[in-house]
Amino acid sequence: MTTFDVLVEVRLRPGIADPEGATVERALPALGFGGVRGVRMGKAIRFEVEAASAEEARRTAEELCRRLLTNPVIEDAVIEVSPPVRQAT
Amino acid sequence: MAARVGVVLFPGSNCEHDVVEAVEALGAEADIVWHAKSALPDVDAVVLPGGFAHGDYLRPGAVARFSPVMSAVGDFVADGGPVVGICNGFQVLTEAGLLPGALQKNSGLKFLCTMVSVRVETANSVLTSAAETGQVLRIPINHFEGNYTCPAETLAELRDQDRVVLRYVDNPNGSTDSIAGVCNEGRNVVGLMPHPERASDPLLGSEDGRVLLRSLLAHVPALR
């Protein structure tokens, strides 16, 4: 088995209200960032998965997203599985 | 015999005593049920109260739905038992899949803590059977994630099946179709963002919530 580092980005679906992102965006012109648009807040969740392959680690992460990490009515997720950095012996 | 109401206490719930007080004032008995219990005591109705179950971490209700008591609540629902989720309790019921849709952040940027007017849209639910369709009630809201949302086909289903239980007269939070409360297909599970227990005595500025709680209690003998 190998330990894979997984990064899940949970994002609000398009059209879902994001008052936090809107507030940040509204603060930007005062700092001189007039050209920045489309600020959306999300969550980054990191964890490790023991799996036989990167594909299996991804499947585990997908299942975890489906059952707990996202609410599919309002959120979706982008999953990134990093190549293993250490091998279990 | 007085109706017995089970009020579920999650770590982070904070309206459980208000619900107990309000239903006791209407002549019912109330049991506070710790979330880690895997069975419900002998109760006639269950209330999931407001608050911040499990700190609202991840999402409101996301972790609470996996509390052991929720499987027992699911069985109680399947047996036709009346269950009401108030505010955070509504969020828990949607996360648990016992009610459709989700509660997203208010469309304004504010946490809302204010008195609102809601209209009873159907008297055909465990929470509105003693009220009249069209009746307007003054009941407070207290939430940041109270903006009801659901896919278009779910909304069509809710409308067709007369399952929108309460609507805001003046939509405070951007909720789809001004929805303040919905019920399940069996009409025995209702979720609402307003707090009827906080409108249960003239001292609180309104007693309009009593008709809703009375409906819940009145529903009980019908089940026996």
Side-chain angles (χ1 to χ4, degrees), chain B residues 187-210:
Chain B
R187 319 195 79 85
N188 60 321
V189 180
V190 178
L192 74 166
M193 291 312 297
H195 285 264
E197 79 282 9
R198 295 190 192 175
S200 59
D201 189 287
L203 275 177
L204 298 174
S206 170
E207 48 184 340
D208 288 359
R210 286 166 67 104

Side-chain angles (χ1 to χ4, degrees), chain B residues 67-199:
Chain B
S67 277
V69 76
M70 287 307 293
S71 338
V73 170
D75 294 344
F76 187 76
V77 168
D79 289 343
V83 173
V84 171
I86 300 167
C87 196
N88 192 226
F90 186 10
Q91 295 162 340
V92 174
L93 289 173
T94 60
E95 283 284 341
L98 293 170
L99 287 174
L103 283 310
Q104 57 165 322
K105 291 185 177 72
N106 298 340
S107 61
L109 303 181
K110 290 181 177 168
F111 185 100
L112 295 170
C113 180
T114 185
M115 188 69 88
V116 296
S117 294
V118 290
R119 193 171 53 243
V120 176
E121 299 289 11
T122 175
N124 185 11
S125 84
V126 290
L127 195 66
T128 49
S129 53
E132 291 188 15
T133 303
Q135 190 175 354
V136 172
L137 307 172
R138 287 179 67 249
I139 301 182
I141 53 170
N142 185 50
H143 60 244
F144 186 52
E145 278 111 346
N147 176 348
Y148 185 80
T149 185
C150 61
E153 56 273 21
T154 305
L155 180 62
E157 204 176 285
L158 289 173
R159 285 175 176 163
D160 290 349
Q161 300 175 355
D162 193 27
R163 286 166 53 195
V164 177
V165 175
L166 299 168
R167 278 199 176 88
Y168 300 106
V169 171
D170 189 8
N171 193 345
N173 56 20
S175 286
T176 299
D177 203 17
S178 297
I179 289 174
V182 297
C183 68
N184 66 342
E185 255 184 289
R187 319 195 79 85
N188 60 321
V189 180
V190 178
L192 74 166
M193 291 312 297
H195 285 264
E197 79 282 9
R198 295 190 192 175

Side-chain angles (χ1 to χ4, degrees), chain A residues 56-77:
Chain A
E56 190 191 313
R58 177 173 292 277
R59 278 197 298 277
T60 301
E62 283 169 354
E63 178 70 2
L64 184 52
C65 284
R66 193 179 64 76
R67 296 193 55 199
L68 177 65
L69 298 183
T70 67
N71 178 336
V73 179
I74 53 174
E75 296 168 329
D76 54 27

Side-chain angles (χ1 to χ4, degrees), chain A:
Chain A
M1 297 293 266
T2 308
T3 302
F4 292 90
D5 286 320
V6 177
L7 171 62
V8 172
E9 182 196 357
V10 178
R11 312 183 299 188
L12 290 169
R13 283 174 176 267
I16 295 297
D18 180 10
E20 199 177 354
T23 304
V24 170
E25 186 166 328
R26 222 178 281 178
L28 294 177
L31 299 172
F33 294 101
V36 180
R37 305 254 189 287
V39 177
R40 298 287 280 172
M41 300 300 274
K43 293 185 198 105
I45 304 168
R46 289 177 191 277
F47 50 91
E48 295 175 355
V49 178
E50 287 280 331
S53 66
E55 291 69 34
E56 190 191 313
R58 177 173 292 277
R59 278 197 298 277
T60 301
E62 283 169 354
E63 178 70 2
L64 184 52
C65 284
R66 193 179 64 76
R67 296 193 55 199
L68 177 65
L69 298 183
T70 67
N71 178 336
V73 179
I74 53 174
E75 296 168 329
D76 54 27
V78 179
I79 297 168
E80 199 178 292
V81 180
S82 298
V85 289
R86 56 194 177 279
Q87 296 285 327
T89 47

